[in-house]
Amino acid sequence: MQQLRTAAALPRVKRKSRLKLFLGRWESPVAGYLFLSPWLVGFFLLTLWPMFLSVYYSFTKYTLLDVPNWIGLSNYKQILFDDETFRKSIKVTFQFVLLAIPAKLIFALLVAMLLNKKLKGISIYRTVIYLPSLIGTSLAVSVLWKNIFSDTGFINQILNVLGIQGSNWISNPKTALGTLILLVVWQFGSSMIIFLAGLKQIPQDLYEASSVDGAGKVKQFLRITLPMLSPILLFNLVLQVISGFQMFTQAFVITKGGPVNSTFVYVMYLYEKGFAQFQMGYASALAWLLLLIIAVVTLLIFMSSKYWVYYESNGER
């Protein structure tokens, strides 16, 4: 009888072992890679492979209509030593980054400090202020901005009511870049949210202790808020600098790089070479030089961070 029960239990044991083996396979790394495979295929085919092709094309003369012809470092030599437009676009881009990014971060920090107050309905204010960043660098925003600063736009209409003669801000070489900077500063929401999260993490005991010692608001900001926010500031600075060097949509839609190339930023020049003149080899070289410039600037920021970024974990800068 015992033997019959044992024989009857054998199929159940086998079924359980098979089920356990099946589940064990799905617990292996193979299952994870299987679920990741759509992203991996997209990454290798749409990102990594085009990057390798771009490196190769940067050493060739390639016009989309002909077979790539290997020319070595000729594209890079021409860009660095003979291309006057390259130097002008780099100058404009650095002007934009040096003016727009600090202004955007300062404004974002000030707004974040205002929204950090305990007020009734503060969540509604935060949502409304963040709305411009939701639409980002869309074409619609750029077209709207172009109309606002045009000769008959909203800004000039207000100035006319005040008895001030306005001008076409976009067509003036002295003010065209400023309109783009204002647009970037206006879209401060993402940086503001990050600053606001950082402000929430600062212990209130520090402010209370400093108040007892007689420290005012300015001293508290310089001695407490800025040091405690310095890692967040570093993070925001790196993100915005990288984004600033890649600015394209606003300049392309609003000013077309003009007037007199006063807003002809680097990526516009890259676009013109690649998609207007079909010089894909030259454009690829420009793209990799841009990557190098961004990497060098980012490295300099990180190297300087040891002098102004405070980490609470080790109590040192």
Side-chain angles (χ1 to χ4, degrees):
M1 192 68 178
Q2 183 66 27
Q3 292 179 351
L4 292 174
R5 291 178 180 177
T6 305
L10 283 176
R12 296 181 181 177
V13 173
K14 288 182 179 180
R15 285 196 296 269
K16 288 182 179 180
S17 62
R18 289 176 182 174
L19 180 60
K20 187 175 181 181
L21 179 62
F22 176 77
L23 294 175
R25 289 177 181 174
W26 285 99
E27 291 175 357
S28 68
V30 176
Y33 287 117
L34 183 62
F35 285 110
L36 283 173
S37 59
W39 182 87
L40 291 174
V41 170
F43 174 73
F44 283 109
L45 293 183
L46 302 178
T47 302
L48 199 60
W49 177 243
M51 285 178 63
F52 284 125
L53 284 179
S54 177
V55 173
Y56 169 70
Y57 290 149
S58 69
F59 296 102
T60 65
K61 184 178 181 181
Y62 180 43
T63 62
L64 283 181
L65 303 177
D66 301 322
V67 177
N69 182 25
W70 183 269
I71 57 175
L73 295 172
S74 296
N75 285 331
Y76 292 96
K77 290 179 180 178
Q78 183 176 349
I79 292 171
L80 294 174
F81 300 108
D82 302 324
D83 195 337
E84 184 65 27
T85 308
F86 163 77
R87 287 189 281 271
K88 289 181 179 179
S89 65
I90 279 290
K91 181 180 178 182
V92 172
T93 304
F94 269 97
Q95 286 177 346
F96 173 80
V97 171
L98 291 174
L99 294 174
I101 303 309
K104 181 177 183 178
L105 293 181
I106 292 171
F107 191 65
L109 178 56
L110 292 176
V111 176
M113 293 179 66
L114 291 175
L115 295 180
N116 195 36
K117 306 293 184 181
K118 294 182 180 180
L119 300 175
K120 186 177 180 180
I122 192 67
S123 58
I124 299 175
Y125 298 141
R126 292 171 183 169
T127 304
V128 172
I129 292 175
Y130 184 69
L131 282 178
S133 296
L134 291 177
I135 48 183
T137 57
S138 64
L139 291 174
V141 174
S142 299
V143 172
L144 175 64
W145 208 258
K146 183 178 180 179
N147 292 332
I148 289 175
F149 285 93
S150 65
D151 196 13
T152 58
F154 179 70
I155 299 297
N156 282 343
Q157 290 180 11
I158 294 178
L159 293 177
N160 289 335
V161 171
L162 298 175
I164 302 174
Q165 181 64 36
S167 65
N168 194 335
W169 307 95
I170 298 172
S171 299
N172 189 342
K174 296 181 180 179
T175 58
L177 187 63
T179 60
L180 301 182
I181 293 172
L182 284 176
L183 175 56
V184 171
V185 173
W186 178 67
Q187 295 173 326
F188 63 92
S190 58
S191 299
M192 181 266 295
I193 289 293
I194 297 173
F195 278 134
L196 185 58
L199 289 170
K200 294 292 184 183
Q201 301 303 315
I202 300 177
Q204 293 300 312
D205 296 343
L206 297 176
Y207 293 104
E208 294 173 1
S210 63
S211 297
V212 172
D213 292 338
K217 295 295 183 181
V218 175
K219 195 170 184 179
Q220 287 179 345
F221 175 76
L222 296 176
R223 297 295 180 87
I224 300 176
T225 306
L226 276 184
M228 297 297 289
L229 273 184
S230 55
I232 305 296
L233 180 59
L234 174 64
F235 177 76
N236 264 335
L237 179 61
V238 171
L239 286 184
Q240 296 304 320
V241 164
I242 293 173
S243 176
F245 275 105
Q246 300 179 75
M247 197 271 286
F248 169 74
T249 304
Q250 300 95 321
F252 182 77
V253 174
I254 298 174
T255 63
K256 302 291 184 183
V260 199
N261 290 338
S262 60
T263 60
F264 195 66
V265 291
Y266 190 98
V267 179
M268 279 201 66
Y269 184 45
L270 191 157
Y271 171 84
E272 181 181 279
K273 282 293 183 181
F275 297 97
Q277 302 178 14
F278 301 108
Q279 298 181 22
M280 281 298 175
Y282 201 86
S284 297
L286 286 170
W288 283 100
L289 280 176
L290 177 61
L291 176 64
L292 179 61
I293 292 169
I294 293 175
V296 170
V297 173
T298 304
L299 179 61
L300 291 175
I301 293 173
F302 276 108
M303 289 176 63
S304 69
S305 65
K306 63 182 179 181
Y307 299 107
W308 56 275
V309 177
Y310 175 84
Y311 294 102
E312 189 179 4
S313 58
N314 54 14
E316 298 177 357
R317 289 183 182 275

